[in-house]
Amino acid sequence: MSTTTHSEAARGAKQVIQLEDATVRLAGDSGDGMQLAGMQLTNTSALAGNDIATFPDFPAEIRAPRGTLAGVSGFQLHFASADIYTPGDRLNALVAMNPAALKTNLDDLEPNGILIVNEDAFDTKSLKLAHYENNPLESEGLGDRFRLIRVKMTKLTRDAVSELGLSVKESDRCRNFFAMGLLYWLYGRSMEPTLRFIDAKFGKMPDVAEANRRALKAGYHYGETTEAFVYTYTVDRAKLPRGTYNNVTGNQVLAWGLITAAKMSGKDLFLGSYPITPASDILHELSRYKHFGVRTFQAEDEIAAVCSAIGAAFGGSMAITTSSGPGICLKSEGMGLAMILELPMLVIDIQRGGPSTGLPTKTEQADLLQVMYGRNGESPLPVIAARSPADCFEVAQEAWRIATRFMVPVILLSDGYIANGSEPWRIPDVSELNKIAIEHPVGREGENGEPFLPYKRNERLSRPWALPGTPGLMHRIGGLEKQDVTGNVSYDPENHQHMVNVRAQKVANIAEDIPPQAVAGPENGDLLVLSWGGTYGACTAATQRCRAEGLSVAHAHLRYLNPFPRNLEKILRSYKTVLIPELNMGQLRSMIRSKYLVDAKGLNKVQGKPFSVVEVMEKIRELAA
Amino acid sequence: MATELPVLTAQDFASDQDVRWCPGCGDYSILAQMKKIMPSLGIPREQIVFISGIGCSSRFPYYMNTYGMHSIHGRAPAFATGLKIARPDLHVWVITGDGDGLSIGGNHLMHAIRRNVDINVILFNNRIYGLTKGQYSPTSPLGKVTKSTPMGSVDFPLHPLSVAIGCEATFVARTIDVNIQHLGVVLRRAAEHKGVSFVEVYQNCNVFNDGAWEYASDKKVRDDNVLELEHGKPLIFGKNRDKGIRLNGTTPEVVDLNNGVKEDDLVFHDEKAEEPTLAYLLSRMRHPEFPEPIGVFRAVDRTTYEAEVNHQTEVAREKKGEGDLAALFSTGDTWTVE
Ligand code: SF4
C-alpha cells in the first residue's frame, strides 16, 4: 500500500506516507455527532479529489441510552486515489469516542491499525455500560496489537472552547469536531470546507459556530504537537474521468434524478409519501424544490400516499410514492390498482432489514420477491434497481421513461446502504440529458356518438394517457376487470384471460426497449457472478481481483429485474457455474432458477451489513477453483 | 376569446353504461338528481371527475359521462386529494358509503376533511353493507341483527356528521334520497362550496335494510321527525309547524309553540358560525327523541389545501426563479477533474 515517503514541514515534521487508499471509521454514541463528522470527512476527501465510498451505520433509536452498546453510531469512509467500489472491508483507522464504540468496532480494525480513543470517556460508568470489567486501554494489550493513540479529547475540547462560556454539555458537543480536526491533520486534509460548513450551518448561533471552529482547529493542532504519531498519511487525487463532481448520497441524487426526469418530460412532479426509514430523505429533499414545480404530499398513511400518487397520475403528473418494505406491504392493493388502471407512476422502495419492522436502519435486499409477486391476482410490474448512490440519478430517469412509454407503474429498488452511502457523482451537462417524450391524446369537438376508447393500444400494447380536462375524452377507469379497447366493466371469461395476457405481454415487451445485459470479464468460462442492487461494488471489486488472480470469472450486474434483459439466458448458459450473491436468502436466485432452470448457487447474508469484498472472493475461489 | 358553453341537459351526463343497482335502490334517485343539477353548475363535463371506493354507491362514477375512477375500498378521498393537488382546475366529487367512508376508509375521510381539500364528498348512508350482502356497518344501530351479528350488533354506531364536524369540516349537510327537491338543493350547495363539502344522504337499501330511514322519508310521518334547517331561521318543525327546538342550558329540548313559547325563544340556525358548536349539537339530535335536522349544518370559509400547496410553489418560484437543473446539480461543494 505505502509507496513513497517524504517529509512535510507543515505537518509537524512527521514522516508522510503516501497511500493508495484508506478506510477510516468514526464510532461514538448516537448523540456524539458521528454521522455529521463522517459526512464532513467524506466531503473534504471528495473535494481533495479522492474517489470515495461510505457506509453510515446507526441505531434505529434516535438517542439510544447514552454510552450503551446499542447506542453506538458509526460512519465508515473509504477514500482512494484509484477507482473504488466499496466502503472497504478492514479499517486502517478507527476513532472510538467511548468504550461501547471501541467494543463494537474493534474487530474490524486491521492488525497494527491506527486506534484513536477518547480516553476521558473510559470512566467506570461508561466501562460498565459497555460491559467491560476492566479498562481495555490498560488491560487488553491494545497497544501491542494496534497503534493506540490515547487522546484526552473531552478535556482538550473543553479547554479549547473554555473562553466562550458554554455549558459543559455544549462544550462536549464539539468533540466530534476535535476528532475531525485530528483526522484532517493525520490525512493531510484542508479544514477549509468544514470551516465553510460551520459558517453555513451554525451562522445563526455564533457561539456554537465559534466553539466548533475552535474544536476543529484544536484537534488539528493537537496532531501537529503531539508526539504520539510517527507518521502522517496522504492519499492522492483519484484519476476519475474528466468533469465536475459533486459528493452525493443515494437518496439525494435519486431525488435529483426524479426532478430531472420531470423536467425532461415536461411534467410537474407529485410525491405522495409517508415518513419511513430509510426513505424519508427523498421526501425531505424533494420538498425543498417547489420552484421546480415539485409538489410533495405527506399523506396520513402509506396507503393514502400511493393512492394520492395514482390520483395525480390520472391528472397527468409525474407521480411517485416512496417507502420501504413495511410501507410497500401497505401499498400493495394500490399498486395492483395502478397496474390494472395502466397509469404511469413510480413506486420507490428503499429496502431495509425485514421482516415486519425488522432492522429499520440496516440494509437488506429482501423485498425483491415482494415487489415481484406481492399482489393479488396476475399482476406483473416492471422492476429496476439502482446499484450505487450515483447510479440512482440515471435509474430514476430510466424508470420514468419506461413508465410513460408502457403506461405502467414501475418499481424502483434501492436500499439503505445506497440511500445513505455517498460517492462522487459526475455532474452531467444539462444539454446531454435525454428528453422523455410523452404524448397525451388531444381533445375532440363533440363526440359524434363515438365513445372515447381508453384501452385502445399501440404497438407496444400501451394505452393512451388521456387527461381529465380534455374535451370529448371523458372516460371511467377502475379496478374491476375491463373490456380491452373500450375499458367497460367486463366479467367475460375470455376477456379476463385476454386482459391478463395483454398486461403481462406489455411488461414483457419492455425487454425490447432496454439495452442488452453487459458482462465484465470473459464471455464464457468457469464462473459468472450475477448480482443486482447495492452489492454491485463488492461484486465488482471481488471479480476484478479474482480475475487478477487468474480465475475465469465474469460479472453481470442487473439493473432490470423485470423483465430481464433478452440476452440474459445466453449469458447464464455461457459459464459452468452461476453465483448469485444477495443480501437475502436467495430471492433473485429463485427467480433465475425458475425462469431459466439454471442451477445457480447463492452467497446469502442477512446481517444488516453489506458484503465485504473478501467474503465474495472466498465464495468465488471456492466455486471457480 | 369568450367561448359559449353548450347548453347541456341531464341526459348529457349519463354514460353509455347500464345502471346495475337493485331495482328500487335509493342510489337511483341520487344519480338522477346529480345528473339534473350538473348542467346548472356551468362546468364543462370534461372538468368534472367522480371518484369512488368500493361498495354499491361506488359504482356511481361508471354512470356519469364525466371523467371517473372506481378505486379501491375506502381510499377515494386519498385519490381525490392527489388529483386536486395536481389539478386544482378540476371539479372533483367523491362518492362513498357508510362502510367505505367510515369503516375501512375512516382515516382518509378524516384527513381529507381536516385539510379542506376542495372536493365534494357524498356519503350514501344506508346503515348496512350492501355489496357484501348484508353485514352491519359503522352506522348500524346497536342490537342490529344481520348475517354477521345473529345476536345483534354490540358496536356503538357513529354519526357521520358528528365525525365530519370533529374533523373541522367547512361544509356539512344532510339530505334524504327520496326528498328529491331537497337533495338537489343540497348537492348544488355542496358543489358551490369552496373547500371540502361533506354530505350525508339517507339512502334506502331496499334489499338488505329496507325502511331504515322510514321515519324520515315516509311522507305520512316525516314532517314530525325531520327538521329542515334554514340559515337565520328558528328551528321549527312538525306537520303544523308548531314545534320548535329551544336550548335549556346547553341541552336542546323540543317545545310546543302552542304553549306560549315564542319563536324568539327558539334556537336560530347559523350555518356560518365560526365555532362548530351549534352544528355539532344539531348533528347529535337523533330520532325518536328529536327531529333529525336536514339541510346545511355548517358552511364556513377557509382556504383550501390545494390552494395553499400551489401557493407555496408560486412563492418558491418568485423567490428562487424557475428551477434550473445546472444550479441544482452544483448544490454544495463541487470539484473539477481535468
Ligand atoms: S344492495 Fe342495497 S344499496 Fe346495494 S344496490 Fe341493492 S338496494 Fe342498493
Side-chain angles (χ1 to χ4, degrees):
Chain A
M1 239 178 14
S2 68
T3 46
T4 59
T5 64
H6 59 95
S7 63
E8 202 181 80
R11 282 212 261 162
K14 303 257 160 47
Q15 249 194 323
V16 180
I17 297 186
Q18 188 162 5
L19 303 174
E20 204 172 85
D21 67 331
T23 299
V24 178
R25 187 185 295 166
L26 287 142
D29 203 67
S30 23
D32 280 343
M34 292 296 98
Q35 301 303 319
L36 185 148
M39 283 306 280
Q40 281 305 305
L41 187 60
T42 304
N43 242 333
T44 302
S45 303
L47 289 174
N50 295 148
D51 194 5
I52 48 165
T54 68
F55 177 46
D57 188 22
F58 42 86
E61 293 74 22
I62 302 303
R63 292 272 193 281
R66 238 197 122 70
T68 58
L69 297 169
V72 173
S73 166
F75 191 104
Q76 181 170 327
L77 166 66
H78 185 193
F79 51 100
S81 58
D83 238 4
I84 50 168
Y85 301 98
T86 73
D89 287 6
R90 302 288 282 167
L91 304 177
N92 306 124
L94 170 66
V95 179
M97 301 297 280
N98 66 12
L102 181 71
K103 186 157 210 173
T104 47
N105 289 279
L106 194 60
D107 282 351
D108 296 333
L109 183 60
E110 66 179 8
N112 209 29
I114 300 170
L115 175 60
I116 300 172
V117 295
N118 173 17
E119 67 172 319
D120 290 338
F122 284 67
D123 53 46
T124 324
K125 186 176 159 216
S126 305
L127 289 168
K128 209 163 152 214
L129 281 171
H131 305 302
Y132 274 122
E133 306 226 323
N134 303 304
N135 187 344
L137 303 183
E138 314 290 349
S139 57
E140 287 191 5
L142 286 182
D144 302 333
R145 288 154 56 210
F146 306 102
R147 278 175 280 164
L148 174 65
I149 320 260
R150 301 166 59 147
V151 184
K152 293 187 182 309
M153 236 182 263
T154 305
K155 179 178 180 303
L156 290 166
T157 305
R158 285 182 194 169
D159 289 351
V161 305
S162 63
E163 288 165 19
L164 298 170
L166 300 179
S167 69
V168 169
K169 211 168 148 194
E170 285 167 327
S171 306
D172 287 353
R173 253 194 230 130
C174 304
R175 278 180 304 206
N176 58 340
F177 281 89
F178 184 97
M180 256 186 267
L182 184 53
L183 287 174
Y184 286 1
W185 170 79
L186 186 61
Y187 289 100
R189 296 289 179 229
S190 158
M191 287 188 281
E192 278 312 311
T194 297
L195 289 170
R196 281 203 303 276
F197 163 82
I198 292 173
D199 286 343
K201 170 135 185 149
F202 302 105
K204 291 208 180 89
M205 297 175 285
D207 277 359
V208 178
E210 182 56 22
N212 285 332
R213 267 193 292 269
R214 288 191 188 190
L216 181 74
K217 289 180 185 166
Y220 196 95
H221 296 143
Y222 176 80
E224 284 177 351
T225 48
T226 183
E227 298 294 315
F229 294 91
V230 183
Y231 306 110
T232 67
Y233 303 89
T234 172
V235 175
D236 267 1
R237 306 178 80 82
K239 284 153 219 74
L240 296 172
R242 283 169 149 227
T244 301
Y245 285 80
N246 204 333
N247 170 36
V248 292
T249 66
N251 273 351
Q252 179 188 24
V253 83
L254 177 59
W256 294 3
L258 296 170
I259 292 172
T260 303
K263 200 92 176 169
M264 299 317 288
S265 60
K267 286 287 174 196
D268 276 352
L269 189 159
F270 175 92
L271 173 72
S273 189
Y274 186 76
I276 185 169
T277 303
S280 303
D281 279 340
I282 305 171
L283 167 63
H284 305 159
E285 184 70 13
L286 284 175
S287 65
R288 298 170 53 206
Y289 297 110
K290 297 190 187 350
H291 58 302
F292 279 88
V294 172
R295 285 161 184 82
T296 55
F297 172 57
Q298 184 178 316
E300 57 271 22
D301 59 27
E302 295 281 1
I303 299 172
V306 65
C307 294
S308 66
I310 297 170
F314 186 49
S317 289
M318 176 189 176
I320 304 163
T321 188
T322 49
S323 191
S324 187
I328 300 296
C329 298
L330 288 164
K331 291 183 201 293
S332 307
E333 191 190 6
M335 289 160 65
L337 176 70
M339 186 267 174
I340 196 171
L341 295 180
E342 301 185 51
L343 280 172
M345 66 176 293
L346 304 184
V347 178
I348 299 178
D349 178 1
I350 314 294
Q351 302 163 94
R352 67 189 212 186
S356 190
T357 307
L359 305 171
T361 59
K362 310 289 175 190
T363 199
E364 208 163 278
Q365 298 184 292
D367 292 351
L368 178 58
L369 294 185
Q370 169 176 230
V371 299
M372 282 294 298
Y373 309 118
R375 289 171 295 282
N376 63 307
E378 295 292 340
S379 181
L381 288 178
V383 180
I384 81 173
R387 69 182 195 189
S388 73
D391 190 46
C392 290
F393 181 73
E394 250 182 59
V395 167
Q397 294 168 76
E398 177 65 350
W400 182 235
R401 185 189 72 82
I402 294 172
T404 52
R405 246 176 101 67
F406 290 87
M407 287 295 282
V408 67
V410 173
I411 295 163
L412 192 166
L413 292 176
S414 171
D415 61 43
Y417 168 68
I418 296 174
N420 293 321
S422 46
E423 68 176 343
W425 169 63
R426 200 180 71 84
I427 299 175
D429 190 331
V430 172
S431 64
E432 289 165 11
L433 295 168
N434 291 323
K435 284 240 170 337
I436 298 172
I438 296 176
E439 269 176 45
H440 297 292
V442 294
R444 3 175 246 186
E445 288 283 324
E447 288 167 54
N448 310 326
E450 297 275 312
F452 171 64
L453 301 173
Y455 287 81
K456 194 169 171 215
R457 299 168 188 282
N458 66 12
E459 69 287 355
R460 290 186 298 274
L461 296 180
S462 73
R463 73 178 192 89
W465 191 6
L467 304 184
T470 317
L473 305 186
M474 283 84 72
H475 64 283
R476 278 67 54 193
I477 57 178
L480 289 171
E481 186 58 283
K482 50 190 64 55
Q483 196 178 44
D484 208 2
V485 184
T486 66
N488 292 335
V489 173
S490 165
Y491 301 124
D492 177 64
E494 296 299 324
N495 175 71
H496 179 50
Q497 179 76 59
H498 168 75
M499 288 301 275
V500 165
N501 295 348
V502 164
R503 288 187 292 254
Q505 187 57 50
K506 183 175 79 164
V507 173
N509 286 351
I510 296 170
E512 303 304 320
D513 205 57
I514 58 176
Q517 179 62 46
V519 179
E523 264 174 43
N524 47 55
D526 290 342
L527 182 70
L528 173 74
V529 173
L530 182 69
S531 57
W532 69 278
T535 58
Y536 168 76
C539 292
T540 301
T543 47
Q544 281 182 359
R545 285 191 216 165
C546 285
R547 274 199 298 276
E549 287 175 7
L551 294 177
S552 161
V553 51
H555 179 210
H557 189 83
L558 290 169
R559 169 181 283 183
Y560 304 92
L561 294 156
N562 195 35
F564 288 128
R566 52 196 183 281
N567 61 333
L568 184 60
E569 177 160 20
K570 188 167 169 287
I571 294 171
L572 292 169
R573 299 202 186 285
S574 302
Y575 301 87
K576 280 189 214 135
T577 310
V578 175
L579 167 66
I580 306 183
E582 294 178 89
L583 298 177
N584 60 42
M585 294 313 290
Q587 302 197 359
L588 174 65
R589 181 156 48 104
S590 74
M591 283 167 61
I592 292 286
R593 280 167 163 245
S594 73
K595 187 168 166 77
Y596 300 111
L597 300 178
V598 166
D599 183 20
K601 303 283 183 272
L603 170 63
N604 302 94
K605 169 169 116 166
V606 280
Q607 297 169 5
K609 284 194 284 197
F611 282 123
S612 71
V613 177
V614 169
E615 271 173 301
V616 182
M617 287 176 72
E618 277 166 6
K619 191 72 188 176
I620 292 174
R621 288 192 195 114
E622 179 193 317
L623 292 175
Chain B
M1 191 180 76
T3 47
E4 226 168 272
L5 283 174
V7 181
L8 298 174
T9 65
Q11 202 41 47
D12 292 312
F13 284 89
S15 76
D16 59 352
Q17 298 300 295
D18 295 334
V19 183
R20 297 197 202 174
W21 288 310
C22 309
C25 174
D27 293 359
Y28 283 96
S29 153
I30 308 173
L31 179 64
Q33 285 313 306
M34 187 66 86
K35 287 192 285 210
K36 202 163 160 200
I37 66 147
M38 280 286 145
S40 67
L41 297 176
I43 299 166
R45 284 176 300 181
E46 63 269 17
Q47 288 297 123
I48 299 169
V49 185
F50 279 87
I51 301 183
S52 64
I54 297 293
C56 290
S57 59
S58 288
R59 298 298 171 94
F60 200 96
Y62 287 121
Y63 309 138
M64 295 293 297
N65 188 18
T66 62
Y67 284 90
M69 187 193 287
H70 177 222
S71 74
I72 49 176
H73 205 8
R75 323 296 175 198
F79 292 91
T81 301
L83 180 60
K84 254 320 243 194
I85 294 171
R87 295 288 306 276
D89 58 308
L90 298 173
H91 187 79
V92 179
W93 295 77
V94 166
I95 305 296
T96 184
D98 41 320
D100 187 65
L102 295 168
S103 195
I104 191 166
N107 195 29
H108 310 301
L109 189 67
M110 167 169 125
H111 291 280
I113 291 176
R114 62 130 174 140
R115 292 187 182 110
N116 202 33
V117 184
D118 185 17
I119 54 178
N120 311 311
V121 182
I122 313 301
L123 185 141
F124 297 12
N125 185 3
N126 55 19
R127 312 187 85 175
I128 202 79
Y129 280 76
L131 197 63
T132 51
K133 303 197 163 115
Q135 301 82 4
Y136 72 107
S137 91
T139 57
S140 296
L142 261 184
K144 179 83 181 169
V145 173
T146 71
K147 277 186 191 148
S148 57
T149 50
M151 294 174 69
S153 157
V154 295
D155 284 29
F156 203 80
L158 48 73
H159 304 148
L161 297 192
S162 301
V163 173
I165 293 164
C167 296
E168 310 293 335
T170 54
F171 182 96
V172 178
R174 179 189 284 148
T175 183
I176 301 170
D177 55 3
V178 291
N179 196 341
I180 53 174
Q181 216 199 335
H182 191 264
L183 175 62
V185 171
V186 167
L187 290 178
R188 227 190 119 92
R189 286 278 318 264
E192 286 163 0
H193 176 73
K194 266 272 164 225
V196 75
S197 310
F198 183 81
V199 179
E200 176 189 20
V201 185
Y202 286 178
Q203 176 245 323
N204 191 39
C205 169
N206 54 307
V207 173
F208 293 109
N209 203 15
D210 196 23
W213 304 113
E214 202 165 19
Y215 65 88
S217 55
D218 183 349
K219 282 202 174 100
K220 292 194 282 288
V221 295
R222 72 178 185 195
D223 289 342
D224 285 322
N225 296 332
V226 163
L227 188 158
E228 221 171 295
L229 297 170
E230 282 180 87
H231 180 59
K233 299 277 174 62
L235 302 186
I236 296 177
F237 70 104
K239 203 171 256 153
N240 307 316
R241 296 197 56 80
D242 57 356
K243 285 181 276 188
I245 302 293
R246 184 172 70 180
L247 273 186
N248 179 3
T250 54
T251 314
E253 58 184 11
V254 176
V255 290
D256 193 336
L257 292 177
N258 300 321
N259 277 355
V261 181
K262 290 194 279 308
E263 273 193 21
D264 279 355
D265 299 331
L266 301 179
V267 178
F268 279 67
H269 184 46
D270 179 8
E271 63 183 37
K272 300 200 179 331
E274 262 316 304
E275 275 305 308
T277 318
L278 173 65
Y280 185 74
L281 186 141
L282 294 171
S283 76
R284 302 287 302 171
M285 285 168 45
R286 303 305 305 191
H287 178 75
E289 293 77 20
F290 291 101
E292 293 189 351
I294 60 170
V296 177
F297 286 55
R298 177 169 169 76
V300 296
D301 287 334
R302 177 148 62 85
T303 170
T304 68
Y305 183 72
E306 68 277 12
E308 288 300 310
V309 170
N310 284 286
H311 177 64
Q312 288 194 345
T313 311
E314 289 318 307
V315 170
R317 279 183 161 134
E318 270 167 36
K319 272 199 194 150
K320 301 183 185 170
E322 177 64 34
D324 172 54
L325 288 178
L328 172 68
F329 299 161
S330 306
T331 307
D333 293 325
T334 62
W335 71 99
T336 301
V337 175
E338 301 293 343

